[in-house]
Amino acid sequence: YHANLICYEVDTRVRKYLDKFIDEKTSIIFEDFMKRNFLLDIAKIKHNKLYVIANLPYYITSPIIEKLIESKADVSAMVIMVQKEVADRFSAKTGSKDYGYMTVYLNDYYDVEKLFFVDRKCFDPVPNVDSAVIRFKKKEEKSVVKNEELFFRLIKDAFHMKRKNIRNNLRSYDLEKIEKVLNKYSLTLQDRAESIS
């Protein structure tokens, strides 16, 4: 069985090595994925499920994942290789130093699991960082959010200054309302965002 593949590669210098893989089920688009309307690309192929498999450079990891989520593309799962520290952040548990805005953002859509570590010595030339492979599996039941834009702005603001508590980070919001919700879960405005699941 051979799935339909749409591949994106920004570096045209590798075209001569990759062209041989193109066939009726495999296309390679030599463009910047961030500038591409990939929904038009996937609309051209028949598919039951959509999977994303990628080796993402550190500087573009979050923007690519955010683009995929914001596009509302029905991605069943993503398996990606990223810098180890990024994988730690994405799969962090509540209360750990790696737990942050992106952890909460991703966990709203996906069950996130770090699969395995990839040593820097696996590459030639050897990069300055280690990597990890991480899987995002679409949640069976996503939480219902009436205003996603507001929800994600709230999360971002809650983590704005990591050492500050909710009261300080969310001063521009209705703190009375927020306190009522926090109290329901035995939390207060003195708690930090990183301690809240």
Side-chain angles (χ1 to χ4, degrees):
Y1 177 74
H2 183 157
N4 284 300
L5 287 174
I6 300 174
C7 310
Y8 298 89
E9 176 53 65
V10 73
D11 190 348
T12 53
R13 292 173 302 173
V14 297
R15 188 174 207 143
K16 59 184 176 187
Y17 305 107
L18 297 179
D19 274 350
K20 64 182 174 197
F21 296 107
I22 296 171
D23 61 27
E24 72 282 352
K25 289 207 164 197
T26 304
S27 60
I28 303 174
I29 298 164
F30 288 93
E31 281 183 41
D32 182 346
F33 179 78
M34 289 303 291
K35 292 178 183 162
R36 186 90 186 173
N37 183 344
F38 75 96
L39 291 176
L40 293 178
D41 297 329
I42 60 176
K44 292 174 192 164
I45 59 167
K46 220 169 98 181
H47 61 280
N48 298 324
K49 290 193 173 181
L50 181 64
Y51 296 94
V52 173
I53 301 159
N55 174 15
L56 298 178
Y58 169 64
Y59 70 95
I60 201 86
T61 301
S62 294
I64 284 180
I65 293 170
E66 284 177 18
K67 177 176 176 159
L68 287 162
I69 290 172
E70 286 163 14
S71 74
K72 304 283 186 229
D74 189 19
V75 178
S76 295
M78 293 193 269
V79 177
I80 58 173
M81 183 160 69
V82 295
Q83 187 175 327
K84 182 191 171 292
E85 288 73 16
V86 175
D88 291 343
R89 275 207 304 277
F90 289 173
S91 59
K93 300 290 176 239
T94 314
S96 70
K97 67 177 176 60
D98 292 317
Y99 185 75
Y101 159 72
M102 271 311 274
T103 319
V104 178
Y105 179 73
L106 290 169
N107 276 274
D108 189 51
Y109 293 94
Y110 299 104
D111 292 318
V112 183
E113 184 188 359
K114 192 160 46 166
L115 299 179
F116 55 87
F117 169 79
V118 183
D119 194 289
R120 66 187 73 188
K121 293 188 200 84
C122 294
F123 302 94
D124 183 24
V126 177
N128 295 326
V129 295
D130 293 313
S131 299
V133 173
I134 191 163
R135 179 175 57 209
F136 303 90
K137 195 173 171 214
K138 189 171 85 171
K139 282 193 182 293
E140 296 291 324
E141 282 185 39
K142 189 191 170 306
S143 55
V144 178
V145 179
K146 287 180 186 171
N147 183 337
E148 290 208 341
E149 200 182 315
L150 173 62
F151 176 55
F152 293 122
R153 192 166 70 242
L154 174 82
I155 296 166
K156 207 172 237 180
D157 291 341
F159 283 95
H160 179 64
M161 303 284 278
K162 280 209 86 165
R163 307 307 302 156
K164 293 199 169 180
N165 61 25
I166 292 292
R167 181 188 298 281
N168 288 321
N169 277 338
L170 298 182
R171 270 188 302 220
S172 61
Y173 292 81
D174 183 341
L175 287 175
E176 229 173 274
K177 245 185 216 177
I178 290 171
E179 189 166 34
K180 269 185 198 158
V181 175
L182 289 171
N183 290 167
K184 210 164 104 179
Y185 298 96
S186 306
L187 296 159
T188 73
L189 292 170
Q190 306 312 313
D191 285 293
R192 289 183 184 146
E194 65 195 49
S195 68
I196 303 171
S197 67

